[in-house]
Amino acid sequence: MTKNKNDNFIHLASPDIQEEDISNVIRVLRSGMLVQGLEVEKLEHQLSTYLGIQHSIMVSNGTATLHLILIALGIGPGDEVIIPAFSYMATANVVELVGAKPIFVDIESDSFNIDKNLIKGKISPATKAVMIVHEFGLAADMHEIKSICDTHGLFLIEDAACALGAKEHQKYAGTIGIAGSFSFHPRKAITSGEGGAIVTNDAVLAAKLRALRNHGIDSENKESKMDFIYAGFNYRMTDFQAALLSNQLKRIESIIEKKQEIARKYMAEISNPLVLLPSFRNNKFHAWQTFHVLLHKAVNQADAIKYFKDKGIGVNYGAQCMPAQTFFKNKYICDSEVEFPNAYKAFTQGLALPIYEKLTAEQIHRIIHTVNQFKINDL
């Protein structure tokens, strides 16, 4: 039998779905009870226990989490929401979708997180919230950012899509603001294909979120007759998705430990002067959803991505400089290279390397060797 030349390709991400996870899904499928039910409820309790938070609300995807949080907090037309300029587009899109205005802030060049020192200068009478992103699994500087929000009476929302298990000063990302958001997309630490979770300690907000995800049905009403108290959405998670996540959540610490082990090896052994390694502070517990490096300005990003893929290594750029994308650039007349230089650099010179628990020692060695060997003349 001829071996496929792609058999040795190292993908950027590859979920570790184990037999017990599959058995859990099969059990639910055979039960016939597929929509949001007991499995979702059990998973919500499991996540709340893990994070040490009062309420978890499972929904259909990570974008729905942010959309629901903004709506539940009453943010809409005429309001402004401060967000980092560097993230996946969903962060900015949900602000637009509720009719509010995203106010972009540049990021720190070393952490890829929002620059806390620039937030105050963006606050206006229309500002209602600061929505930070724990980029690539590294917690933002939450102590200082929360202090700013408390001083100015602003909601602090955490987009922790990449940061399940990440910590700052022993506090889990997603549990510090009024509400936190997680994603279970296949590139995240644990996955249900699509799926998301909102966490909060605010009981009133939690009840509103539960109603909004399910067509606006009063989730606190214990009578047999349904009462629709909001114009809501169908943002429910299925029970078989919850069953797929349950055992993965039990393994989350070992998953993160493996990612940290790979990251330490990358940090110690990648030595190509054309590649700038990431950095982070000692008070952070990095979940390493992505290992994101910066290429030297002399390296063309697209050429580098092609080079590595031709060598059998699935790399890609990490996230977007959101105000540089056509919709936002045209609507808000942004010159991102000037206004958000760190975000623009992270977008145009960034490179995400594979980092997941299924990588073998041989694959990790191949990645490091290939990164160390490439030269501008190779591209």
Side-chain angles (χ1 to χ4, degrees):
M1 183 176 177
T2 303
K3 190 172 184 179
N4 191 312
K5 67 178 181 179
N6 292 322
D7 287 350
N8 290 324
F9 189 86
I10 302 172
H11 294 279
L12 179 60
S14 181
D16 187 19
I17 306 299
Q18 299 184 2
E19 286 302 318
E20 191 174 6
D21 307 326
I22 296 168
S23 296
N24 257 4
V25 174
I26 292 171
R27 172 179 54 80
V28 173
L29 292 175
R30 285 177 173 158
S31 76
M33 304 297 292
L34 305 184
V35 297
Q36 177 185 297
L38 289 178
E39 295 292 332
V40 169
E41 188 177 326
K42 286 193 295 184
L43 182 63
E44 290 174 339
H45 177 74
Q46 185 183 356
L47 182 62
S48 292
T49 300
Y50 170 65
L51 293 174
I53 201 159
Q54 292 297 311
H55 304 280
S56 294
I57 301 99
M58 295 294 162
V59 297
S60 54
N61 59 67
T63 304
T65 59
L66 298 173
H67 192 204
L68 288 181
I69 290 169
L70 292 175
I71 290 171
L73 292 175
I75 295 172
D79 297 332
E80 293 178 353
V81 179
I82 292 173
I83 61 174
F86 185 66
S87 179
Y88 187 66
M89 293 307 300
T91 306
N93 286 344
V94 292
V95 178
E96 286 286 328
L97 290 172
V98 299
K101 180 180 180 180
I103 302 299
F104 297 105
V105 174
D106 204 9
I107 59 168
E108 298 172 328
S109 59
D110 58 348
S111 72
F112 306 115
N113 281 328
I114 193 168
D115 188 336
K116 61 183 180 294
N117 297 313
L118 300 178
I119 292 175
K120 288 182 183 178
K122 297 285 187 170
I123 296 173
S124 78
T127 308
K128 292 295 186 293
V130 176
M131 186 158 70
I132 63 90
V133 178
H134 302 295
E135 195 62 61
F136 301 139
L138 177 63
D141 294 329
M142 293 303 294
H143 179 78
E144 295 90 340
I145 296 171
K146 188 175 188 305
S147 177
I148 293 170
C149 290
D150 290 346
T151 299
H152 293 271
L154 305 175
F155 293 121
L156 175 56
I157 303 166
E158 297 179 68
D159 181 347
C162 300
L164 181 61
K167 297 177 189 175
E168 183 199 33
H169 295 300
Q170 299 306 308
K171 288 190 175 182
Y172 280 110
T175 67
I176 300 165
I178 184 68
S181 155
F182 297 97
S183 168
F184 303 121
H185 181 272
R187 277 197 62 193
K188 305 305 188 285
I190 62 176
T191 184
S192 50
E194 291 286 3
I198 307 167
V199 298
T200 182
N201 282 317
D202 188 312
V204 174
L205 178 62
K208 189 170 185 179
L209 288 163
R210 290 190 182 102
L212 286 169
R213 74 168 167 184
N214 190 21
H215 301 286
I217 296 173
D218 185 359
S219 62
E220 305 296 300
N221 184 1
K222 304 304 179 184
E223 298 179 6
S224 59
K225 188 176 181 180
M226 290 182 184
D227 187 13
F228 294 81
I229 56 176
Y230 303 111
F233 305 85
N234 181 1
Y235 277 169
R236 296 171 298 193
M237 175 181 279
T238 64
D239 259 16
F240 55 86
Q241 286 176 300
L244 180 59
L245 283 166
S246 180
N247 278 312
Q248 293 178 71
L249 183 54
K250 292 175 185 176
R251 303 194 301 270
I252 186 65
E253 295 296 341
S254 64
I255 290 170
I256 294 173
E257 184 178 347
K258 175 64 175 177
K259 286 169 169 275
Q260 290 179 330
E261 179 186 319
I262 298 168
R264 285 193 294 269
K265 198 163 183 64
Y266 285 166
M267 296 291 282
E269 298 185 21
I270 292 177
S271 57
N272 193 326
L274 297 175
V275 175
L276 179 65
L277 296 170
S279 62
F280 60 98
R281 300 163 186 84
N282 290 331
N283 62 356
K284 312 281 188 179
F285 183 83
H286 204 317
W288 290 111
Q289 182 265 344
T290 294
F291 192 90
H292 189 261
V293 301
L294 290 179
L295 299 169
H296 190 280
K297 61 183 179 181
V299 178
N300 181 278
Q301 182 191 52
D303 290 343
I305 290 172
K306 182 180 184 304
Y307 172 83
F308 284 108
K309 287 184 176 179
D310 288 345
K311 294 287 185 180
I313 298 174
V315 301
N316 213 333
Y317 63 88
Q320 288 86 22
C321 177
M322 297 182 292
Q325 304 306 304
T326 298
F327 174 81
F328 292 100
K329 179 174 65 176
N330 290 345
K331 183 169 183 178
Y332 298 111
I333 319 298
C334 298
D335 184 352
S336 294
E337 193 169 2
V338 174
E339 297 176 58
F340 314 105
N342 291 334
Y344 190 80
K345 182 178 179 180
F347 172 50
T348 57
Q349 294 174 229
L351 193 72
L353 302 180
I355 184 167
Y356 48 92
E357 62 275 24
K358 285 166 59 177
L359 285 174
T360 66
E362 187 277 331
Q363 289 175 320
I364 295 167
H365 174 77
R366 269 182 59 200
I367 293 166
I368 293 170
H369 178 76
T370 306
V371 171
N372 282 339
Q373 291 300 308
F374 97 92
K375 305 176 181 64
I376 292 176
N377 291 340
D378 295 330
L379 304 180

